[in-house]
Amino acid sequence: MADLSHHRGDLAGHPDVSEMQARYERVLGGRDVVLVDGPVFLVGLYCAASPWIVHYATSQPALLTHNLILGIAIALLAVGFTVTPDRMYGLSGAMCAMGAWLIIAPWIVGTSPDAGVIWNNIVIGGLTFLLGAMCIGAAAKSRRTT
């Protein structure tokens, strides 16, 4: 009878070891911004839920829709950063643009916003811009090293 049991041990003798090592390095190589993915997702969720958290859902219906859509878009960018980082980190600049837009949106989209609405969007927009800039920096750094 042939020995069909799997023996655990060193993979150095495996015929595909160099290909597996190259794939492992390629997958982990673009993950310089792995610590930013979670905060980007949380900022997106907060942005989407902020009209109900700050209680301006009824007084600012246009800003409610605006923040809901942008929050979902930011959260989807975070999911994309996690799932396909090589393809998605090129969109980090879009996060910076969304952050800047969130800062000025209460005056453009909203109608006579109060201080709570303004500060809410300034904080969300500033965090989004900062996280987007961090992603841009890390993506540029990883491109230089490869």
Side-chain angles (χ1 to χ4, degrees), residues 89-140:
Y89 282 128
L91 293 175
S92 302
M95 276 189 55
C96 290
M98 282 193 260
W101 174 251
L102 276 165
I103 291 172
I104 61 171
W107 294 282
I108 296 174
V109 177
T111 52
S112 63
D114 62 352
V117 173
I118 292 170
W119 278 108
N120 179 62
N121 271 36
I122 287 174
V123 169
I124 294 170
L127 285 172
T128 303
F129 187 87
L130 178 69
L131 291 169
M134 289 172 63
C135 288
I136 288 172

Side-chain angles (χ1 to χ4, degrees), residues 4-133:
L4 298 175
S5 61
H6 177 70
H7 299 286
R8 294 184 186 261
D10 189 19
L11 288 175
H14 194 279
D16 295 329
V17 72
S18 61
E19 181 182 331
M20 289 188 303
Q21 182 66 28
R23 181 172 185 220
Y24 180 76
E25 289 173 5
R26 187 176 65 245
V27 167
L28 292 182
R31 301 300 296 152
D32 291 339
V33 237
V34 70
L35 296 177
V36 179
D37 296 352
V40 169
F41 186 72
L42 292 176
V43 166
L45 286 182
Y46 177 76
C47 182
S50 67
W52 294 278
I53 294 171
V54 183
H55 301 293
Y56 63 89
T58 56
S59 65
Q60 299 284 338
L63 205 54
L64 173 141
T65 307
H66 171 269
N67 279 17
L68 180 66
I69 291 170
L70 272 180
I72 291 170
I74 293 168
L76 287 175
L77 274 175
V79 170
F81 290 161
T82 303
V83 176
T84 58
D86 292 341
R87 294 181 183 177
M88 293 297 290
Y89 282 128
L91 293 175
S92 302
M95 276 189 55
C96 290
M98 282 193 260
W101 174 251
L102 276 165
I103 291 172
I104 61 171
W107 294 282
I108 296 174
V109 177
T111 52
S112 63
D114 62 352
V117 173
I118 292 170
W119 278 108
N120 179 62
N121 271 36
I122 287 174
V123 169
I124 294 170
L127 285 172
T128 303
F129 187 87
L130 178 69
L131 291 169

